[in-house]
Amino acid sequence: MSKILVTGCAGFIGSTLCERLLQEDFDVVGIDCFRSNYERTTKERNLCWLLQQPRFHFLEKDLISVSLSSILEGVAYIFHLAALPGVRTSWGTDFKAYVDNNILVTQRLLEAAKKVPTLKKIVYSSSSSIYGGMEGPTTEDRIPNPISPYGVTKLSAEQLCQLYYKNFGIPVNSLRYFTVFGPRQRPDMAFHRMITRVLNNQPIPIYGDGQQSRDFTYVDDVVTANLLAAFSSCEGEIFNIGGLSHLSVKEVISLIEIYTEKPARKNHLPPQAGDPKHTWANISKAKKLLSYQPIFDIEKGIALQVQEIKKNLSSDL
Ligand code: NAD
Ligand code: UGA
């Protein structure tokens, strides 16, 4: 059986990916250092089911410093999700942490991968934030123009992947995810903050006029895209991974009101630096080369996320 490594396995997307891999009968080694971008207990909760599975092996290690040679020995697939995420939080004095966790860690992994003859594929988690804003559905050949420090680091790491592919034949594909939502979404992200606050009868912060829009992508569709990118014959490719729903923040809030069955009190705040006005994925390339097809619409996804947050709020009481 192929050895699989998932970096960032305690996070929102990484833990969901590990669960799918185990359900599909793979053995998985997961690595995470519980970075403090949000509560350790939340990440431990993400790992709960995984830690009970005999075919899951967890390493609490920091990819900035851990020796990678023994971890990568015999590995066939690496899903590289570990990073410091978040567009708006990437301003300020902590930029070194973004450089270290997003660029240096990726470079270390790629360098170590050169010495792994068993390696079949690395799938790198890139981001729509490498584009900056978009006026309509955007294809992968658009010139990148990140407008946040986070976007700069995600683009650098993606370009490192391309360099290691072109110079050393490291078989890597990069997936540019577009605003991912669903159960376990990071607490700094819009749906999580808004659903939690509506359920707690607190006002929700809206940055700007709420007319900004996103190509919202359900987490299970992102997980499927990872599997397709790993097990396809494509190498050295970059794919947009978008969802079924392109909506404004205002439209999202109306859906949250429906699925929480509560009215939202709104607190309008200034627009945030680094936030693109609109994002919109053209996913023709992923459809054609990977047979990627998102299946979760926004209503189903929000309903599942509301259900999860309600359950966690009641168990936290
Ligand atoms: P997350 O913060 O929930 O998960 C990332 C995990 O990586 C965390 O558990 C963290 O502890 C771990 N990590 C960070 N640095 C590490 C290090 N040096 N060593 C070991 N572990 C480390 O974030 P997420 O939302 O699940 O994002 C996963 C990936 O997807 C990231 O690369 C992010 O940039 C990318 N991405 C996310 C979205 C989104 O909408 N959530 C969109 C585009 C791209
Ligand atoms: C998300 C992730 O957080 C990034 O890690 C990722 O790289 C990026 O998607 C991506 O697609 O590449 P973002 O689009 O900002 O970034 O996602 P949310 O935090 O869910 O915000 C969505 C929109 O809601 C933004 O326009 C934001 O300004 C708005 N928002 C967010 C609010 O109005 N209020 C809030 O409390 C939170």
Side-chain angles (χ1 to χ4, degrees), residues 86 88 127-129 150 179 186 190 193 205 207 212 214 275:
R88 295 171 291 282
S127 158
S128 75
S129 62
Y150 164 75
T179 312
R186 298 192 327 262
R193 294 182 92 186
Y207 300 128
Q212 69 267 43
R214 291 288 177 275
D275 255 352

Side-chain angles (χ1 to χ4, degrees), residues 21-285:
L21 288 166
L22 285 169
Q23 281 151 8
E24 303 225 348
D25 270 347
F26 292 102
D27 289 351
V28 178
V29 176
I31 184 163
D32 205 292
C33 66
F34 299 108
R35 247 324 137 249
S36 58
N37 57 324
Y38 55 95
E39 297 276 338
R40 182 185 171 111
T41 47
T42 305
K43 295 186 184 186
E44 285 173 342
R45 182 161 60 201
N46 292 343
L47 283 178
C48 241
W49 182 83
L50 288 167
L51 292 176
Q52 294 163 23
Q53 308 309 309
R55 299 179 78 169
F56 181 72
H57 182 57
F58 176 56
L59 301 172
E60 183 177 343
K61 299 281 181 201
D62 189 335
L63 289 156
I64 287 173
S65 52
V66 70
S67 164
L68 287 168
S69 49
S70 59
I71 294 173
L72 295 196
E73 200 182 327
V75 80
Y77 298 98
I78 302 173
F79 295 91
H80 179 37
L81 293 95
L84 210 46
V87 177
R88 295 171 291 282
T89 43
S90 66
W91 299 101
T93 52
D94 211 17
F95 184 58
K96 183 178 181 306
Y98 280 84
V99 172
D100 287 350
N101 290 291
N102 299 359
I103 305 176
L104 293 181
V105 157
T106 305
Q107 189 273 344
R108 283 193 90 222
L109 201 62
L110 291 164
E111 195 57 37
K114 279 162 61 183
K115 302 184 194 89
V116 184
T118 48
L119 184 67
K120 293 192 174 132
K121 197 70 63 71
I122 299 179
V123 182
Y124 169 64
S125 292
S126 187
S127 158
S128 75
S129 62
I130 67 100
Y131 288 112
M134 308 163 200
E135 290 310 319
T138 295
T139 52
E140 292 82 352
D141 52 9
R142 230 245 355 230
I143 295 173
N145 185 24
I147 57 170
S148 66
Y150 164 75
V152 170
T153 63
K154 293 303 284 184
L155 177 60
S156 298
E158 186 190 280
Q159 290 184 327
L160 282 167
C161 291
Q162 293 306 100
L163 287 183
Y164 275 78
Y165 168 69
K166 286 178 186 149
N167 288 279
F168 306 108
I170 300 296
V172 55
N173 288 322
S174 293
L175 304 182
R176 293 175 178 165
Y177 311 153
F178 282 67
T179 312
V180 189
F181 73 104
R184 298 189 191 156
Q185 191 189 46
R186 298 192 327 262
D188 59 290
M189 293 187 68
F191 287 27
H192 186 112
R193 294 182 92 186
M194 291 174 176
I195 294 169
T196 306
R197 286 173 196 215
V198 170
L199 289 172
N200 285 331
N201 303 312
Q202 292 164 334
I204 52 172
I206 301 176
Y207 300 128
D209 58 10
Q211 299 293 355
Q212 69 267 43
S213 67
R214 291 288 177 275
D215 195 316
F216 292 106
T217 313
Y218 190 70
V219 62
D220 285 14
D221 287 330
V222 170
V223 164
T224 301
N226 270 272
L227 269 61
L228 293 170
F231 304 131
S232 82
S233 57
C234 297
E235 288 181 7
E237 298 288 351
I238 296 171
F239 298 98
N240 285 340
I241 300 301
L244 284 179
S245 315
H246 179 254
L247 269 82
S248 70
V249 164
K250 273 195 160 165
E251 289 169 318
V252 164
I253 294 169
S254 303
L255 289 175
I256 289 175
E257 288 181 308
I258 294 172
Y259 285 96
T260 54
E261 297 175 331
K262 290 184 113 179
R265 283 194 291 135
K266 296 161 196 160
N267 179 20
H268 279 276
L269 298 169
Q272 300 288 294
D275 255 352
K277 182 82 182 166
H278 305 291
T279 71
W280 203 340
N282 178 320
I283 57 168
S284 308
K285 183 176 173 185

